[in-house]
Amino acid sequence: HVQLVESGGGSVRAGGSLRLSCAARGYTYDTYCMGWFRRPPGKEREGIAVIDSDGDTAYAESLKDRFTISVDNAKNTLYLQINSLKPEDTAIYYCAARPYWICSMLPHDYDYWGQGTQVTVS
């Protein structure tokens, strides 16, 4: 049973930084793609960044300058560093995983999801 648990969200002032974490439990696949997505208020879920089991990353073009995805395989934890936060970054942030090494920025391609963590920027 795969479980993804996000943490690290909160309320921050514009210009600040946050690091979100996603602990993966019960994930036994050797190859994977994991990603961060977000759902702003009243909008669809959108892809932010993805990373595969080779460590290759991809980002949404409009977000790549402020967002950094990383993974600590020893801790089974995925991270998202967000810098220079803006009010439009306010959203529920989700991590997701799929047991394939080919990554996708499309939410419907992912098999496992966390419950989400709220980020509010004012």
Side-chain angles (χ1 to χ4, degrees):
H1 176 66
V2 176
Q3 186 178 23
L4 303 178
V5 181
E6 301 98 335
S7 60
S11 296
V12 297
R13 290 188 177 272
S17 298
L18 278 177
R19 189 176 80 156
L20 306 183
S21 300
C22 171
R25 300 166 184 166
Y27 195 90
T28 60
Y29 301 101
D30 292 330
T31 59
Y32 63 79
C33 178
M34 298 190 73
W36 285 99
F37 298 78
R38 68 182 184 182
R39 189 198 305 272
K43 296 184 179 181
E44 297 293 321
R45 195 174 303 195
E46 61 182 6
I48 301 170
V50 296
I51 186 167
D52 67 22
S53 45
D54 288 333
D56 295 322
T57 60
Y59 293 86
E61 187 65 25
S62 62
L63 302 176
K64 64 181 182 178
D65 292 336
R66 300 186 295 115
F67 291 71
T68 303
I69 190 171
S70 61
V71 64
D72 185 332
N73 289 311
K75 296 182 178 180
N76 292 330
T77 301
L78 180 73
Y79 301 100
L80 183 69
Q81 178 70 37
I82 315 172
N83 298 325
S84 302
L85 278 155
K86 303 176 180 181
E88 52 263 43
D89 293 322
T90 295
I92 302 173
Y93 284 72
Y94 301 88
C95 66
R98 65 196 300 254
Y100 310 107
W101 63 269
I102 299 176
C103 276
S104 167
M105 294 289 278
L106 299 175
H108 66 249
D109 285 336
Y110 286 78
D111 301 277
Y112 307 106
W113 289 86
Q115 81 289 348
T117 185
Q118 176 72 47
V119 172
T120 303
V121 185
S122 60

